[in-house]
């Protein structure tokens, strides 16, 4: 089985001194314990270190059954900023294009829900190609923005949050399945 993972918000197995997390652990387990292959699509910008991983689109073979596809995107300096939103849009469009250019299709896609601009484009690709897609809920996006921004500035981000809520609703309704880090996150995704 060919499995594609789409996740841009966590350290990659190719990052120096990285502690792999949810998708990294899953990719490693699948390729070391099954006959399935994994292609992981991510962004060139490292959210934690605020540095670029690559200067152009790059494919890195981890082992015979595991390949990373790093898509070149812009970066940002602050977690709450217009530059970060633009990076999410760039990541979504870049990953969509890279998936189209792959030359083969997966049997299933597992995509992180956030950023929504990436999961939206991934679900679009899956639906256009009749591929089952499972969306993984890990954060309470976009409501988390209200926690990150001072209350007196909520009026400023409200239009973006409303747009994200519409995107989230459409994305989750189009998914073949939903998984979550906890029962509460799963319920959030189902709602």
């Amino acid at each position: 089985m060919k499995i594609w993972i789409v996740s841009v918000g966590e350290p990659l197995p190719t990052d120096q001194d990285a502690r792999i997390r949810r998708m990294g652990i899953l990719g490693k387990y699948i390729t070391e314990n099954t006959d399935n292959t994994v292609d992981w699509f991510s962004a060139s910008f490292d959210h934690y270190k605020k540095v670029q991983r690559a200067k152009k689109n790059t494919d890195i073979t981890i082992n015979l059954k595991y390949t990373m596809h790093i898509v070149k995107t812009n970066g940002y300096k602050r977690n709450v900023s217009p530059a970060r939103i633009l990076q999410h849009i760039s990541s979504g469009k870049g990953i969509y294009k890279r998936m189209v250019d792959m030359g083969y299709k997966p049997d299933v896609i597992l995509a992180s829900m956030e950023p929504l601009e990436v999961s939206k484009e991934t679900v679009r690709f899956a639906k256009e190609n009749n591929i089952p897609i499972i969306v993984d809920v890990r954060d309470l996006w976009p409501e988390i923005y209200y926690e990150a921004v001072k209350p007196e500035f909520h009026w400023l981000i409200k239009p973006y949050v409303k747009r994200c809520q519409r995107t989230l609703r459409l994305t989750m309704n189009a998914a073949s399945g939903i998984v979550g880090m906890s029962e509460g996150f799963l319920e959030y995704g189902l709602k």
Side-chain angles (χ1 to χ4, degrees):
M1 178 184 281
K2 292 180 183 73
I3 302 166
W4 285 5
I5 293 173
V6 180
S7 182
V8 302
E10 65 181 76
L12 305 180
T14 53
D15 292 345
Q16 188 173 8
D17 300 323
R19 186 181 133 258
I20 61 172
R21 297 189 183 159
R22 195 168 168 88
M23 294 300 182
I25 292 167
L26 181 62
K28 184 177 190 303
Y29 179 85
I30 290 169
T31 57
E32 291 179 359
N33 296 287
T34 73
D35 292 330
N36 302 313
T37 63
V38 171
D39 287 89
W40 182 350
F41 298 81
S42 192
S44 62
F45 186 70
D46 183 328
H47 167 72
Y48 295 99
K49 297 178 183 173
K50 303 289 187 277
V51 298
Q52 290 288 348
R53 295 178 170 108
K55 295 180 183 194
K56 61 180 183 170
N57 288 354
T58 305
D59 296 337
I60 302 169
T61 301
I62 295 177
N63 65 45
L64 293 175
K65 297 186 293 181
Y66 196 178
T67 304
M68 296 291 314
H69 304 283
I70 311 294
V71 174
K72 177 66 174 100
T73 66
N74 53 317
Y76 51 88
K77 292 181 179 163
R78 295 180 49 232
N79 286 346
V80 179
S81 66
R84 184 173 184 184
I85 294 168
L86 293 174
Q87 193 271 342
H88 291 171
I89 293 167
S90 171
S91 296
K93 290 177 189 263
I95 288 171
Y96 175 86
K97 182 177 182 335
R98 183 66 184 106
M99 290 188 296
V100 167
D101 293 343
M102 285 296 287
Y104 62 90
K105 307 280 187 282
D107 296 298
V108 65
I109 299 173
L110 174 61
S112 296
M113 182 187 87
E114 63 290 323
L116 298 174
E117 295 83 355
V118 174
S119 59
K120 173 185 142 189
E121 292 295 325
T122 306
V123 167
R124 178 169 75 109
F125 176 84
K127 290 304 169 190
E128 289 171 354
N129 292 281
N130 200 28
I131 299 164
I133 180 162
I134 300 158
V135 177
D136 182 27
V137 181
R138 295 195 234 174
D139 279 318
L140 303 181
W141 283 50
E143 283 75 14
I144 199 165
Y145 281 109
Y146 286 128
E147 293 176 23
V149 174
K150 292 180 181 178
E152 60 264 26
F153 296 111
H154 283 188
W155 65 270
L156 188 60
I157 63 165
K158 189 173 183 176
Y160 177 68
V161 170
K162 290 288 186 195
R163 183 176 146 255
C164 286
Q165 288 170 333
R166 280 191 304 278
T167 299
L168 175 61
R169 192 169 35 261
L170 294 170
T171 299
M172 299 308 260
N173 284 334
S176 308
I178 300 169
V179 295
M181 277 183 50
S182 68
E183 191 70 30
F185 281 32
L186 180 59
E187 287 300 321
Y188 177 80
L190 291 170
K191 181 180 166 193

